[in-house]
Each structure stands twice: as structure tokens, then as C-alpha cells.
Amino acid sequence: MGSPPTLQDLPPKQAHFCLGVERFFLSILPEALPPNPRFLLGLSGGADSTALAALMRLLAPRLSCTLHAVHLDHSIRPESAHDAQAVEKLCAYLDIPLTA
């Protein structure tokens, strides 16, 4: 799989999107964020939480923050075990610690 991408690895359009999210964070949260903040990411394995994890992994060095992910498999849906495995693989690839 290789190592996770950096902002510099992204095409310009995607990099600009990430930088827009960074501007949003810095514009609304500067007073609320302590130095070296820690973010807890809830990952379901769906597209939106996967995108959030990838985006935050790209921005973490720029925001001087630490990431940690959590996933809870309720075992309600037949595919939930697959989702849990996908989250484990994603976190391993992105080098984000996971509590499942």
C-alpha cells in the first residue's frame, strides 16, 4: 500500500480543499484549541468518516495535533465485521492509533 500521502502529493484541487478545511479550523477554533490538541475520530468505515480520517491525517502535522480513532462494532449488520476490518486497515495505513 505504501505510505500515506502528504499535502504535497495531492493534485492541486484536492490540496486546496484540504487547505480550506485548515483555514476553517483556524478561523473558528483558535481560542478553543489548546496547544498541541488531540482529536478523537469516530470511524464507522463509511465514506464520510474515511474521508475525514484521511483529511485529518493530512492536516495533523500542520495543526500540530494528535489523532486517535475509535470504532465500535455493534454486530447488528452482517457486514459490520467487514467494516471493522476496513477501519483497522485504514488506521494502520494512515498511522492513526485505533481503539476498537
Side-chain angles (χ1 to χ4, degrees), residues 55-78:
L55 177 77
M56 289 304 296
R57 174 61 175 84
L58 290 167
L59 293 179
R62 296 175 59 89
L63 296 171
S64 298
C65 68
T66 303
L67 303 175
H68 192 96
V70 294
H71 176 81
L72 178 59
D73 181 359
H74 293 284
S75 300
I76 296 172
R77 297 177 297 111

Side-chain angles (χ1 to χ4, degrees), residues 34-59:
N36 304 310
R38 292 174 284 177
F39 290 99
L40 183 62
L41 305 172
L43 297 179
S44 66
D48 54 351
S49 66
T50 297
L52 176 64
L55 177 77
M56 289 304 296
R57 174 61 175 84
L58 290 167
L59 293 179

Side-chain angles (χ1 to χ4, degrees), residues 15 51 53 74 76 79 90 92 99:
H74 293 284
I76 296 172
E79 64 274 10
L90 174 69
T99 299

